[in-house]
Amino acid sequence: MSDKAPILEIENLSISFFTRRGEIPAVMDFSCTVMPGEAMGLVGESGCGKSTVALGVMRDLGTNGRITGGAIRFKGQDLTTLDDGALRRLRGSEIAMIYQEPMASLNPAMTVGRQLMEVPMIHRAMPRAEARALARQMVADVRLPDPDRILDAYPHQLSGGQQQRIVIAMALMANPSLLILDEPTTALDVTVEAGIVDLVRDLGRRYGTSMLFISHNLGLIRETCDRLCVMYSGEAVETGNIADVFERMRHPYTQALFRAIPLPGADRTTRPLRAIPGNFPLPDARPPGCNFGPRCAYFQPGRCDAADIAMTDIAGDTRHRSRCLRVAEIDWSAPDTATEAHPRTPAGEVVLRMEDVRKYYTVAASALFGGGADKVVKANETLSFEARAGETLAIVGESGCGKSTFAKVLMGLETATSGRIMLFDENVQSTAIQHRRTDTVSALQMVFQNPFDTLNPSMTVGAQILRALEIFRVGATTAERRARMLELLDLVKLPRDFAGRMPRQLSGGQKQRVGIARAFAGDARVVVADEPVSALDVSVQAAVTDLLMEIQRRNATTLLFISHDLSIVRYLSDRVMVMYLGHVVEIGPTEQVFAPPYHPYTEALLSAVPIADTSVEKRRIVLEGDIPSAMDPPSGCPFQTRCRWKAQVPGGLCETDVPPMVTLSEGHSIKCHLAEDILRRMEPVFTQAAQ
């Protein structure tokens, strides 16, 4: 590859946005090279400039954005010098981009076929019939079933994973030389993400397309890219091939990123995650010298902040470079000793018990089908489990499996159709939240996924916590409640002067901390955390996770952690409950659920998890098809339409009978027809590679 000219060569690129406050530099002195057929990953925290670089390559920076220095050469031609007409001919035909949200790229009023056909008809003047044939072939290439039906469908008739596959097909219709992907799987389930990752990698090899892959997920970068570039505060701080950077990282920020993510060896008691200290600098308030200096454990005053630092070559590695003044002085193999180990808190008495809980919704047929009988949506089917004081029970599964419905029923936002929900020896199965006692509501609280939507934008942080204290009747006077509010800010490690701030003045991680403080205003004993860290950067995720664990240790809180991220689940949970189409298909201690024997669905979920560790080998098991509709579930085992083990069960039992819950060991049960000897012979999904 080295004897070929680069497809994309970015040299000393600087991009600024011009506002009323003046020039705000977003990208500075950024250089990156993508060779033919190569996949380059761009990683870093939100605000580091990854997407700005991509938009700079597309020359789509809006009215305020401007390239202020450097060059972007595509096939040797400097894109910064092209006029609008030349850029229009280039975009879509030679360079294509896939965005994070697929519906932002699809026209809801046009069929999928028409939108796909437009690309070759506009860029290659292809006749309509030929364009239709190419669109059909491309739909088949991105592994969508029944291409003719897909071509005639509208975007809203497809699932999120199918929509993203159509966007990928659209980007490849003109056979571009460079494909830019900006967080293309963030909004997708882990199983759909695995399929998209395999698809992108295979299509890249088949068509010889070079890729610039933007992501905050280091595991995803490892599985899709040949090389990566780590960005921090508008600069490239380290670049190299995947093996060099993952195994021999040579910048403190890269090292800090890896210490903040839950790799297979991480353990919340002996090897807890380590959040990056301090805050990300604002673009118009960067420190002198090294941008990462104020957050760096190796910072030396007078050296690291004396002058701008250039990228330097790393001896012994091909095209491996770092922007660190002390790269040759730091002992990069030294273990991290800055984290404090915490003993695991033993589980206490049972505080929550669900017994055969069902939640059905009746949908009037006329609303959807224009006649016939009413339809029943079976969102939850015979949920049975218990949770103890001080333990973390993780609930995992794809979208549509019933996790959020379970949370709504437990919180009283919905009432269960049948069964018993025993909360502190009180059956709340049919008691809506407005009819529950105040002490019951305060003892059972929820932390939501999106911190931006859970705070009132017109009230200060302190006022919102005080409001919760008033509702829960905490404190006899205003002074007592204010003192408790300040204690809650201390609890979530926010400065007390944040009480006077508005939500818009807070970062995403700070808003989530306020949400946690509000949840604990009434001394909550059970907290439902619904994807509480999925919208946060890896460093903020580590800090919020550590905060939840610390509060749990202090208050013996029961944490019900709903997530699709099995890496964080393995790190923090004591037990795991796997749900599929409303059923609990496996439940048990974390170490048993993450090791064979597995339920076939659990096995597929684990295989879909991207692992940012080159010493771990993983078996690939990509699920085919989407999760069935809860309005028309399959007969027999709910997972049988996607199960690769079904042929091992004789007599078609999987298609006729719902399997019983089988106990494999104490506390570990699965709902499966597979014989126990077959389950015991299952191979592990993860193995440690030979050194």
Side-chain angles (χ1 to χ4, degrees):
M1 205 182 288
S2 59
D3 59 339
K4 298 178 183 177
I7 285 290
L8 179 68
E9 192 174 14
I10 304 174
E11 185 177 1
N12 306 123
L13 178 66
S14 295
I15 298 174
S16 292
F17 290 90
F18 293 84
T19 68
R20 294 176 184 174
R21 297 170 56 190
E23 180 182 355
I24 298 177
V27 173
M28 304 169 299
D29 189 32
F30 178 84
S31 297
C32 169
T33 301
V34 182
M35 302 302 290
E38 188 174 66
M40 169 69 80
L42 278 185
V43 301
E45 294 172 278
S46 297
C48 71
K50 306 186 299 292
S51 296
T52 303
V53 168
L55 293 173
V57 173
M58 296 294 288
R59 290 284 309 276
D60 186 22
L61 293 167
T63 55
N64 294 336
R66 193 180 309 161
I67 295 173
T68 57
I72 304 172
R73 286 185 285 273
F74 175 73
K75 293 184 175 181
Q77 185 177 29
D78 192 346
L79 300 182
T80 63
T81 63
L82 297 185
D83 59 27
D84 290 344
L87 285 170
R88 276 195 299 271
R89 288 189 293 273
L90 203 63
R91 295 187 192 120
S93 58
E94 288 284 327
I95 305 175
M97 187 163 179
I98 298 170
Y99 296 90
Q100 179 174 342
E101 174 51 57
M103 278 305 291
S105 305
L106 296 173
N107 187 331
M110 291 174 62
T111 64
V112 167
R114 279 189 61 197
Q115 296 184 64
L116 288 171
M117 290 161 59
E118 274 189 345
V119 179
M121 290 170 68
I122 292 173
H123 290 289
R124 294 159 60 181
M126 186 178 287
R128 177 177 291 272
E130 193 175 334
R132 171 88 181 187
L134 179 62
R136 190 186 188 285
Q137 179 60 48
M138 192 58 70
V139 168
D141 283 350
V142 297
R143 304 173 194 165
L144 284 172
D146 195 356
D148 291 317
R149 180 187 66 83
I150 294 291
L151 289 178
D152 293 332
Y154 287 89
H156 71 271
Q157 295 174 300
L158 307 181
S159 68
Q162 291 174 331
Q163 290 171 0
Q164 193 62 284
R165 287 170 187 259
I166 291 299
V167 171
I168 291 172
M170 190 181 301
L172 294 172
M173 283 290 285
N175 195 17
S177 300
L178 177 65
L179 183 61
I180 302 173
L181 304 98
D182 190 358
E183 301 275 14
T185 62
T186 300
L188 304 178
D189 278 317
V190 66
T191 50
V192 180
E193 177 182 78
I196 296 291
V197 166
D198 278 3
L199 171 68
V200 168
R201 192 170 52 220
D202 292 348
L203 291 175
R205 293 194 189 109
R206 185 187 309 176
Y207 292 99
T209 307
S210 301
M211 289 186 283
L212 192 62
F213 198 110
I214 297 170
S215 180
H216 67 277
N217 188 328
L218 286 161
L220 204 59
I221 292 294
R222 179 206 165 190
E223 294 190 357
T224 54
C225 298
D226 306 299
R227 297 174 51 78
L228 82 157
C229 177
V230 182
M231 291 190 69
Y232 182 80
S233 190
E235 294 179 326
V237 295
E238 185 167 8
T239 185
N241 69 45
I242 293 293
D244 287 343
V245 177
F246 275 55
E247 297 168 13
R248 294 180 294 279
M249 57 197 75
R250 289 297 181 267
H251 193 278
Y253 179 59
T254 310
Q255 185 184 65
L257 281 178
F258 274 87
R259 287 176 174 172
I261 59 176
L263 297 174
D267 183 272
R268 72 182 192 187
T269 57
T270 59
R271 292 180 60 190
L273 301 183
R274 183 178 174 188
I276 304 175
N279 296 311
F280 197 84
L282 295 174
D284 55 350
R286 292 186 174 98
C290 176
N291 284 339
F292 189 61
R295 307 173 74 187
C296 181
Y298 309 106
F299 178 76
Q300 282 189 349
R303 288 186 64 196
C304 298
D305 55 359
D308 291 343
I309 299 171
M311 294 284 278
T312 57
D313 292 330
I314 305 300
D317 292 338
T318 305
R319 295 165 62 199
H320 186 184
R321 311 185 77 206
S322 172
R323 195 184 295 271
C324 179
L325 200 64
R326 302 192 59 205
V327 66
E329 305 169 17
I330 296 170
D331 182 3
W332 297 100
S333 61
D336 181 20
T337 57
T339 53
E340 180 183 353
H342 298 284
R344 190 175 291 270
T345 306
E349 62 181 3
V350 175
V351 296
L352 172 66
R353 180 181 287 110
M354 282 197 169
E355 301 172 359
D356 293 330
V357 172
R358 290 178 170 86
K359 177 58 182 175
Y360 295 170
Y361 297 94
T362 301
V363 180
S366 59
L368 293 175
F369 311 107
D374 290 350
K375 293 283 185 177
V376 175
V377 178
K378 298 180 178 180
N380 286 157
E381 274 282 3
T382 59
L383 286 184
S384 296
F385 70 92
E386 60 184 33
R388 297 178 176 272
E391 81 164 344
T392 300
L393 173 65
I395 298 98
V396 302
E398 296 168 285
S399 298
C401 73
K403 304 189 302 292
S404 295
T405 300
F406 146 79
K408 290 176 184 176
V409 168
L410 178 58
M411 296 301 299
L413 301 174
E414 304 271 2
T415 54
T417 303
S418 64
R420 297 203 326 154
I421 303 175
M422 301 302 297
L423 182 64
F424 315 122
D425 298 322
E426 177 188 357
N427 186 3
V428 295
Q429 170 259 330
S430 58
T431 309
I433 190 168
Q434 61 267 33
H435 301 303
R436 293 184 181 181
R437 300 197 315 265
T438 301
D439 60 338
T440 302
V441 174
S442 64
L444 174 63
Q445 285 291 295
M446 191 163 183
V447 178
F448 296 91
Q449 176 177 356
N450 193 340
F452 304 95
D453 294 337
T454 57
L455 299 178
N456 188 327
S458 62
M459 293 175 65
T460 64
V461 166
Q464 300 193 52
I465 299 175
L466 284 170
R467 176 64 178 150
L469 292 170
E470 290 171 4
I471 292 172
F472 297 145
R473 301 170 188 166
V474 175
T477 64
T478 302
E480 288 182 8
R481 284 192 286 272
R482 178 164 180 79
R484 176 59 180 158
M485 178 266 291
L486 295 174
E487 289 173 2
L488 286 166
L489 289 178
D490 294 340
L491 179 71
V492 297
K493 299 179 181 178
L494 285 177
R496 291 192 168 195
D497 61 6
F498 272 42
R501 293 196 181 187
M502 305 298 287
R504 66 176 181 274
Q505 297 174 290
L506 274 58
S507 68
Q510 290 167 342
K511 288 177 183 176
Q512 193 63 288
R513 288 170 184 263
V514 175
I516 294 170
R518 196 171 54 182
F520 281 90
D523 196 23
R525 294 173 58 193
V526 178
V527 172
V528 180
D530 189 1
E531 302 273 11
V533 296
S534 63
L536 306 176
D537 278 317
V538 290
S539 176
V540 183
Q541 174 179 290
V544 171
T545 301
D546 182 62
L547 173 65
L548 285 170
M549 295 297 98
E550 183 177 328
I551 294 173
Q552 182 183 54
R553 286 191 297 270
R554 185 181 306 180
N555 299 352
T557 310
T558 302
L559 188 63
L560 303 180
F561 192 89
I562 298 173
S563 181
H564 70 274
D565 184 346
L566 274 80
S567 296
I568 199 75
V569 162
R570 173 168 48 188
Y571 169 73
L572 62 81
S573 64
D574 300 298
R575 292 192 300 134
V576 179
M577 183 169 78
V578 184
M579 292 186 66
Y580 185 83
L581 204 62
H583 293 255
V584 175
V585 296
E586 182 165 7
I587 186 168
T590 303
E591 62 273 13
Q592 294 185 33
V593 172
F594 276 76
Y598 313 104
H599 186 281
Y601 180 55
T602 308
E603 180 190 43
L605 283 179
L606 291 174
S607 176
V609 177
I611 301 295
D613 188 339
T614 55
S615 68
V616 173
E617 293 179 348
K618 183 177 70 171
R619 286 193 300 123
R620 298 295 292 171
I621 305 165
V622 178
L623 285 179
E624 299 295 333
D626 297 314
I627 190 167
S629 169
M631 192 179 296
D632 187 22
S635 59
C637 174
F639 187 59
Q640 55 99 353
T641 59
R642 304 168 77 193
C643 182
R644 73 189 191 99
W645 290 88
K646 188 168 67 169
Q648 301 286 333
V649 179
L653 194 62
C654 295
E655 298 179 1
T656 57
D657 294 4
V658 176
M661 206 71 172
V662 179
T663 300
L664 298 177
S665 59
E666 185 178 356
H668 184 202
S669 303
I670 70 170
K671 184 179 283 191
C672 188
H673 284 305
L674 283 172
E676 187 168 337
D677 65 314
I678 296 176
L679 289 169
R680 300 288 180 191
R681 292 199 303 269
M682 276 187 167
E683 297 179 3
V685 171
F686 303 116
T687 54
Q688 200 74 23
Q691 298 296 317

